[in-house]
Amino acid sequence: MNLPRLACTLAAVLVPAGCSAPVPCDGPLCLSIADVSRVQVGVAPDALTIVDVDGDGARDLVGASGPAGTVTVLWGGDAGFAGSATTWSIDQEVAGIAVVDLDDDGRLDLATALPRADAVAVVRGRGGRVRRAGP
């Protein structure tokens, strides 16, 4: 398989470097601008992941907004990501996002790096959509 051609095909509505023009596409890997939805996840997020944070069976969109110093969960539901969002202020720049059960309590926690403090901030899961920011 020709990887540059595959990259051009996956980005059919864009013209990435090395592609002279959008590649006509009619296969299952094709995307079109009509397939793109816009949802807001915090302020200028620079790290995203999709995971069922609250255990309700719907995927949630989790973002970290670096300079804003926030972690946001856009709660998913039957209508996709059209539900409510919850944002936690970490009070300093954040970098990256990890969603994992850090304390083995069976609930997912949200962790983000604090590059200026050489530390990690954790938003601990308390069951469902309840979370608590803490050390």
Side-chain angles (χ1 to χ4, degrees):
M1 173 163 290
N2 182 329
L3 289 180
R5 174 131 176 103
L6 176 62
C8 294
T9 301
L10 290 174
V13 292
L14 304 175
V15 183
C19 300
S20 59
V23 176
C25 189
D26 61 1
L29 295 178
C30 296
L31 302 174
S32 73
I33 197 68
D35 297 329
V36 177
S37 298
R38 294 181 186 212
V39 294
Q40 185 169 346
V41 183
V43 178
D46 47 19
L48 296 170
T49 191
I50 297 175
V51 64
D52 182 6
V53 175
D54 56 1
D56 66 354
R59 290 175 287 188
D60 307 306
L61 186 56
V62 183
S65 300
T70 60
V71 172
T72 299
V73 176
L74 182 58
W75 304 105
D78 293 339
F81 298 119
S84 63
T86 303
T87 299
W88 294 271
S89 177
I90 307 301
D91 295 329
Q92 59 185 292
E93 182 178 356
V94 299
I97 190 74
V99 182
V100 64
D101 181 4
L102 292 169
D103 51 7
D104 292 323
D105 65 357
R107 297 181 290 243
L108 292 176
D109 306 304
L110 313 175
T112 186
L114 305 174
R116 294 186 182 181
D118 292 330
V120 173
V122 177
V123 178
R124 298 211 181 271
R126 296 291 174 228
R129 294 185 177 182
V130 179
R131 314 246 147 230
R132 179 180 63 83

